[in-house]
Amino acid sequence: MNPTPPSQLRRNLVACTLDGLFATPHVFINTPGNILLAALATKVFLIDKAMYGLIAALPFVSNGIQLLLMPLLAGRLSARKISLGFGWANLAVWIALIVSLPFFPKDDAMMVGRLLLLYLGVASLFGALGGVGWTSWVQEWIPRRIRGKYFGLRNRVANLANVGFLLIVGVYLEYVGNNLNGYIAVFILAGILRVIGFYYQQSVHSKPSQTDAVHAGGWIQRLRDMAAAPMFLRFVIFGALMTFWMNFTGPFGPVFMYEQLDLSVARVTLLVVIGTLGSAISWPIWGHYCDRLGCKPVIFASIILWESQNYCWAFITKDFAWILFPMWFWGGLTATGFFLGNFNMLLKLIPRASKTTGISINLAITSLAAAMSPVLAGFILDWVSRSGHDLDMAYRIGFFVKSSAVLLTLLLLRKVVEPEKDGDLRTLFGALRSVRQVYHASGLPAFSNIHPAKIRRKK
């Protein structure tokens, strides 16, 4: 890799941090299933649950499609061009959506759902391609020795930006009421901030590495290496089932709060902020226990602590909606342990000789599982609603089944043996994209822009 001069590296790091600061609001909105798009789709346009489930699955479908397209693009374009080109293309689709929203037929929810599916589907694909390009590009010019420290700082800046944005948006939407113009104004603000972010991103200059960090093909030949790594394959299956069940009700949590608990967008955004704060507090704590006890015990403990309190979703009523605030804080505290333990466990298990192939397989399988679950849940909820059954009870049964299934999935982890030695972090950025998006859809956007640092084991 060609080293970047120190003075240019400092300018690049500052520009990359400012890019993260201004890009985060758009990154948040860009994930279908977030609390704002959920409110727009279900409170303003009144689309049905089946269509909403399809929309919530778009990021995971895009993950699978980009795995097919990226080898073709990587052989022709640099990581920088992929990042910027598809980033601008994603923003262009959002601008087209913003311009089109006032003309959507408000009396035809099915047509609106199809239009949202089209716009957000194209935007999600462009976002997935641009995101992979970006994570590969930064590896070309950020020295490995400072990546952990730098991304720790950048993550904090991005999360602070997201907290500030959500607080402003929550107050604004509470003031203007539940109307289309309010959401359009929020999307325009996020778009303007994204343009500023692109200005800083384009100011980053680097010499491309001789071997592009984006895998340009040939990984199929390494599938035999995967077959020779049974612990890795078991962990991938565990991750696929975990993401399936987490995403089964995750995207419908905001819909439940809006429709069944009658919460305002302002209160839901405040919940997200509280969850983000809980996550920020717990990062060093879970990191310490990953070092001391290993990743596997951390995954077990965090999932049990997280999902045990999620049973409360099955019993919450309007009169006791206040319990969501401590629940969200506790969720931020505990979910961090699973994310950090999961990342570092994958780091240990992935075969050294076939890192890129392992990442591709893990991302493809977990994305497929995560894409299937909200579609299934959406069709079930839509059938319940059309059949005249109790929709509120259907939500509560879904929450109960989801938490129980997640806890039972831990049984698969018992047969996975955790190695002592860590793997190589260089190609693992983006490896847990599907898990981050599941967290995002579940109301924990603090993970949507996270790049975990490698855990350093104490000697």
Side-chain angles (χ1 to χ4, degrees):
M1 180 180 294
N2 299 318
T4 303
S7 59
Q8 183 62 55
L9 176 61
R10 284 192 293 270
R11 289 193 293 269
N12 285 351
L13 293 175
V14 171
C16 188
T17 303
L18 291 173
D19 172 40
L21 175 68
F22 289 105
T24 295
H26 180 75
V27 171
F28 172 77
I29 292 176
N30 196 54
T31 304
N34 69 74
I35 58 173
L36 297 179
L37 281 179
L40 175 66
T42 60
K43 292 171 72 78
V44 177
F45 289 123
L46 305 178
I47 69 171
D48 60 42
K49 305 300 184 295
M51 182 61 72
Y52 177 75
L54 289 171
I55 291 174
L58 288 174
F60 311 100
V61 174
S62 297
N63 285 342
I65 296 175
Q66 67 85 15
L67 287 172
L68 300 176
L69 297 179
M70 190 55 69
L72 300 175
L73 294 170
R76 295 168 175 79
L77 300 172
S78 67
R80 184 179 190 274
K81 289 181 179 179
I82 293 174
S83 175
L84 287 169
F86 285 101
W88 279 110
N90 169 271
L91 183 58
V93 175
W94 270 96
I95 293 173
L97 173 61
I98 292 169
V99 173
S100 303
L101 280 175
F103 303 100
F104 280 14
K106 295 183 179 180
D107 56 347
D108 190 347
M110 180 59 68
M111 178 57 69
V112 171
R114 291 171 180 170
L115 290 171
L116 286 175
L117 194 66
L118 174 62
Y119 276 105
L120 296 177
V122 176
S124 292
L125 178 58
F126 288 165
L129 292 169
V132 172
W134 184 86
T135 55
S136 299
W137 177 26
V138 296
Q139 293 177 75
E140 295 181 355
W141 59 269
I142 298 181
R144 186 184 177 192
R145 68 181 185 280
I146 67 169
R147 284 179 191 167
K149 181 179 180 180
Y150 170 70
F151 279 111
L153 171 63
R154 191 178 187 276
N155 290 339
R156 287 193 290 272
V157 170
N159 282 333
L160 286 174
N162 204 40
V163 167
F165 175 74
L166 289 174
L167 288 174
I168 294 172
V169 166
V171 173
Y172 171 73
L173 291 178
E174 185 78 5
Y175 175 74
V176 301
N178 188 46
N179 63 77
L180 179 60
N181 291 333
Y183 290 97
I184 290 176
V186 171
F187 295 162
I188 290 174
L189 173 61
I192 292 172
L193 294 175
R194 188 68 189 100
V195 170
I196 298 173
F198 276 132
Y199 167 79
Y200 288 109
Q201 188 177 138
Q202 290 185 158
S203 68
V204 174
H205 296 285
S206 62
K207 296 179 180 180
S209 59
Q210 294 180 352
T211 301
D212 196 341
V214 177
H215 182 61
W219 61 270
I220 296 179
Q221 291 86 338
R222 300 178 184 174
L223 290 177
R224 291 181 180 178
D225 295 333
M226 299 297 104
M231 291 300 115
F232 170 72
L233 294 178
R234 287 180 186 178
F235 191 71
V236 170
I237 295 172
F238 162 77
L241 286 174
M242 192 64 75
T243 53
F244 177 90
W245 286 113
M246 284 185 173
N247 214 36
F248 185 70
T249 57
F252 293 93
V255 180
F256 176 78
M257 290 186 287
Y258 293 139
E259 294 184 349
Q260 307 303 316
L261 301 183
D262 200 26
L263 297 185
S264 66
V265 177
R267 290 191 69 183
V268 175
T269 55
L270 184 57
L271 289 172
V272 174
V273 169
I274 290 174
T276 301
L277 294 176
S279 172
I281 292 172
S282 62
W283 274 104
I285 299 173
W286 288 115
H288 168 75
Y289 282 111
C290 276
D291 276 343
R292 184 176 178 182
L293 303 176
C295 301
K296 191 172 170 180
V298 165
I299 295 174
F300 267 100
S302 59
I303 285 295
I304 291 173
L305 291 172
W306 187 16
E307 286 303 327
S308 296
Q309 63 102 35
N310 278 338
Y311 278 110
C312 294
W313 281 98
F315 307 101
I316 292 175
T317 62
K318 292 181 181 180
D319 294 334
F320 291 94
W322 59 267
I323 201 174
L324 286 170
F325 289 94
M327 281 179 60
W328 227 267
F329 182 74
W330 183 255
L333 286 173
T334 53
T336 305
F338 171 65
F339 183 83
L340 193 57
N342 202 24
F343 179 88
N344 286 281
M345 189 73 163
L346 182 64
L347 186 71
K348 293 181 176 183
L349 291 171
I350 198 165
R352 279 179 169 271
S354 304
K355 292 184 293 292
T356 302
T357 307
I359 292 170
S360 298
I361 290 175
N362 179 72
L363 184 58
I365 294 177
T366 54
S367 295
L368 176 62
M372 292 169 57
S373 52
V375 175
L376 175 62
F379 276 99
I380 292 174
L381 290 172
D382 192 46
W383 175 82
V384 169
S385 180
R386 293 179 185 275
S387 302
H389 298 297
D390 189 346
L391 183 61
D392 183 74
M393 182 58 65
Y395 273 114
R396 298 178 189 281
I397 293 174
F399 292 135
F400 187 89
V401 169
K402 172 257 184 180
S403 292
S404 300
V406 167
L407 290 173
L408 288 174
T409 302
L410 286 174
L411 295 176
L412 293 175
L413 188 62
R414 294 180 59 189
K415 296 183 178 181
V416 178
V417 178
E418 179 179 353
E420 288 295 326
K421 192 173 183 179
D422 290 344
D424 186 349
L425 186 65
R426 287 177 293 179
T427 59
L428 271 173
F429 287 114
L432 294 183
R433 177 184 296 273
S434 56
V435 178
R436 287 189 289 138
Q437 290 171 334
V438 166
Y439 275 30
H440 190 120
S442 300
L444 292 170
F447 298 91
S448 64
N449 206 25
I450 285 292
H451 299 272
K454 180 178 178 180
I455 295 295
R456 297 186 177 183
R457 189 168 295 280
K458 295 179 181 179
K459 296 182 180 180

